[in-house]
Amino acid sequence: MTKKVAVLGEIRDGSLRNVSFEGLAAARTIAEGGEILAVLVGASLGTLAQDMIHYGADRVVTVEDEKLAQYTPDGFSQAFLSVVEQEKPEAIVFGHTALGKDLAPKIASRLGCGLISDAVDVEIAGGNVVFTRPIYSGKAFEKKIVSDGIVFATIRPNNIAPLEKETSRAGEVTALSAEIKDLRTIVREVAKKATQGVDLSEAKIIVAGGRGVKSADGFSPLQELADVLGGAVGASRGACDAEYCDYSLQIGQTGKVVTPDLYIACGISGAIQHLAGMSNSKVIVAINKDPEANIFKVADYGIVGDLFEVVPMLAEEFKNL
Ligand code: FAD
């Protein structure tokens, strides 16, 4: 059955996050030939609507307001719900990001519908929209269908490939003037950690370090390899607890969940809590001097050796490619 699907475009630093385009690809499946509606919420949206159209949106509704310059659950839910009220979509897709995880349950409860969170795949089977999502910290996957009401899902970044960008695609862009009642006083100041290069949660390549890096300086060869590969640096909690790096780099059950194309684990033992955050990576390379290390059980390629010898060698080799 064809559906109208609304996809929230997520904006960071004036650009759309990749997960927005992945959401459009998921919507293409869910819509079954129906309309794909992109929703953009913010203060100055510029040409972002065109980007959503180039990646598969049929139409875009924007809600632009100074009060929406920064994300707030109240402001964004009012804006998004006003679009829902006008457009009445039968399905909604958000990214499973910090913003999506915060906003989606609030919207779902207001709409009185369920929410399938952290979907890694979507297909049509037996006339139903079927989502696949990980359970038990990624050790198993379950299939979920929505039998009644609005189909609402958040999708995990890096799992559903975006559609090919087509700059010749055209679509209508309409502005919706919604009344945004600011319920709180917001101090418009963002305290940002100085991060280098690629965003960890959307990175296609991650070079992660564990307690085996032995110091903050020990991360330098990992950063160099990540720079050569155009990737990001991540860490185990062991490395964060030892104050070798910031907790924003932590990957695992109580850190970020990532699914890059390539995950290079350096000096990480492979504790179950770490695996929960990275074991669904497409290709895993483990570098560890202990041949019995648990990380080798999930690795596609294992290198038994000292990371301080192996990592610079890899960086050198990749530089020469
Ligand atoms: P270690 O286990 O100490 O492993 C270090 C590895 O480095 C060893 O395998 C060693 O052989 C290797 N090594 C040492 N020197 C070298 C060298 N020169 N070259 C190559 N290899 C070398 N952990 C997470 O990562 N993420 C989480 O989100 C997380 N959440 C947790 C939640 C709870 C409730 C609990 C209880 C624990 C959690 N942990 C988490 C901690 C987890 O249990 C492990 O303690 C942690 O992952 C270990 O980090 P590590 O692998 O870096 O250190």
Side-chain angles (χ1 to χ4, degrees):
M1 202 181 71
T2 61
K3 284 181 204 62
K4 184 196 268 192
V5 187
V7 179
L8 180 70
E10 195 174 320
I11 302 159
R12 182 185 279 179
D13 297 332
S15 304
L16 284 159
R17 298 189 69 182
N18 219 26
V19 73
S20 315
F21 307 135
E22 294 166 0
L24 292 169
R28 177 70 63 90
T29 304
I30 298 165
E32 293 186 79
E35 187 181 40
I36 300 173
L37 177 75
V39 181
L40 293 178
V41 175
S44 48
L45 300 171
T47 57
L48 299 180
Q50 294 309 321
D51 291 342
M52 290 300 269
I53 290 166
H54 294 162
Y55 277 98
D58 297 314
R59 205 153 59 78
V60 183
V61 176
T62 61
V63 185
E64 227 166 341
D65 192 307
E66 257 316 301
K67 294 190 193 111
L68 301 168
Q70 270 172 37
Y71 169 71
T72 62
D74 285 337
F76 271 52
S77 58
Q78 287 173 59
F80 192 82
L81 285 165
S82 59
V83 177
V84 171
E85 199 179 314
Q86 177 182 281
E87 296 288 339
K88 308 209 172 1
E90 283 116 1
I92 300 172
V93 178
F94 284 9
H96 194 71
T97 57
L99 186 153
K101 282 188 260 186
D102 190 50
L103 188 61
K106 191 174 168 78
I107 302 271
S109 72
R110 290 292 299 275
L111 295 174
C113 65
L115 175 66
I116 293 177
S117 72
D118 203 13
V120 294
D121 196 17
V122 61
E123 63 194 318
I124 304 294
N128 292 308
V129 183
V130 183
F131 292 96
T132 305
R133 62 183 300 278
I135 50 172
Y136 305 125
S137 295
K139 285 201 276 308
F141 292 87
E142 66 174 355
K143 303 263 187 193
K144 286 269 191 192
I145 62 163
V146 180
S147 51
D148 194 23
I150 296 176
V151 176
F152 193 176
T154 62
I155 58 158
R156 186 184 282 195
N158 264 345
N159 280 270
I160 297 169
L163 303 167
E164 205 63 41
K165 183 176 182 181
E166 280 179 46
T167 47
S168 57
R169 271 182 66 91
E172 185 192 322
V173 182
T174 47
L176 178 74
S177 64
E179 195 200 341
I180 308 298
K181 293 184 213 103
D182 236 344
L183 305 176
R184 294 173 297 175
T185 306
I186 296 155
V187 181
R188 298 199 188 280
E189 192 181 306
V190 181
K192 269 199 173 174
K193 287 237 160 78
T195 48
Q196 285 173 284
V198 187
D199 177 357
L200 187 56
S201 50
E202 290 198 337
K204 298 279 179 213
I205 298 177
I206 294 175
V207 183
R211 218 163 356 221
V213 302
K214 296 194 174 63
S215 67
D217 287 344
F219 266 95
S220 304
L222 277 61
Q223 183 68 57
E224 199 184 326
L225 178 58
D227 290 345
V228 171
L229 295 172
V233 168
S236 71
R237 178 154 143 191
C240 301
D241 284 347
E243 299 183 3
Y244 302 161
C245 63
D246 192 84
Y247 278 102
S248 60
L249 300 190
Q250 185 186 321
I251 290 164
Q253 191 179 320
T254 46
K256 291 193 168 77
V257 176
V258 294
T259 34
D261 293 341
L262 174 62
Y263 189 90
I264 306 178
C266 313
I268 294 177
S269 59
I272 192 80
Q273 296 90 351
H274 187 75
L275 301 188
M278 47 63 74
S279 62
N280 293 316
S281 303
K282 286 165 197 104
V283 175
I284 299 171
V285 177
I287 304 165
N288 198 302
K289 63 181 187 184
D290 174 8
E292 301 297 322
N294 200 46
I295 192 78
F296 288 125
K297 291 190 185 141
V298 297
D300 300 286
Y301 301 95
I303 303 172
V304 179
D306 186 333
L307 72 92
F308 295 106
E309 288 170 20
V310 177
V311 173
M313 256 159 41
L314 287 176
E316 208 46 47
E317 283 300 317
F318 283 119
K319 239 185 254 171
N320 295 331
L321 282 181

